[in-house]
Amino acid sequence: MSANKAVGIATVVMVLCAWAYIALSREPRLPTSIANGRYSNGCCGTIFLHDGVMTVANQRVDYIIERDKAGPYVLPTAYVGASVHAVVVKFDAYPLKLRLDDAAHPHQLELLDDAADGVRYSFTRVNGS
């Protein structure tokens, strides 16, 4: 086998391995403790986050924290959204990303409206939490 063929085959193998690594790797997880605290919104209520468990409206929902190109987010195991008067949890619906404003020390958590118009509700971290 000539040197050119060997280099060509090695290059193709390296490109395929790099592609497989990128395609199969998951989004990087962040520690769940960074978002621990109580987040409140005047119209909708309060959300408690503590070490991977979200408590809202007397319901508990597990979550992880990851980061994508838009920034850090909380990914619950159920749909968690907001309406005009309350936070809505639907265990039979697709979960949405709840955006955090900062990966190191988040001060806000953003939820989408339960309605079709997709209004965003900001929940602010309560001091001392």
Side-chain angles (χ1 to χ4, degrees):
M1 179 184 316
S2 72
N4 287 341
K5 276 189 176 181
V7 170
I9 291 172
T11 302
V12 169
V13 169
M14 287 176 27
V15 168
L16 288 175
C17 288
W19 178 83
Y21 174 78
I22 291 169
L24 298 175
S25 64
R26 296 185 44 91
E27 296 291 336
R29 287 204 178 154
L30 298 171
T32 56
S33 61
I34 65 166
N36 284 355
R38 186 171 55 155
Y39 297 80
S40 184
N41 180 295
C43 74
C44 307
T46 303
I47 298 172
F48 297 93
L49 299 179
H50 186 73
D51 294 339
V53 178
M54 176 186 305
T55 306
V56 57
N58 295 325
Q59 298 181 60
R60 294 169 56 98
V61 179
D62 292 336
Y63 68 87
I64 58 173
I65 299 180
E66 295 184 340
R67 178 191 334 241
D68 60 12
K69 291 178 183 176
Y73 62 89
V74 173
L75 184 61
T77 56
Y79 171 87
V80 178
S83 70
V84 176
H85 302 293
V87 176
V88 178
V89 177
K90 297 178 185 175
F91 289 96
D92 60 345
Y94 188 76
L96 300 177
K97 295 176 181 179
L98 312 179
R99 291 287 170 189
L100 295 168
D101 65 335
D102 183 38
H105 303 289
H107 299 289
Q108 288 190 343
L109 179 68
E110 186 178 84
L111 276 70
L112 290 176
D113 192 327
D114 191 34
D117 57 2
V119 174
R120 297 180 186 276
Y121 290 89
S122 290
F123 285 70
T124 304
R125 190 179 214 158
V126 177
N127 288 340
S129 66

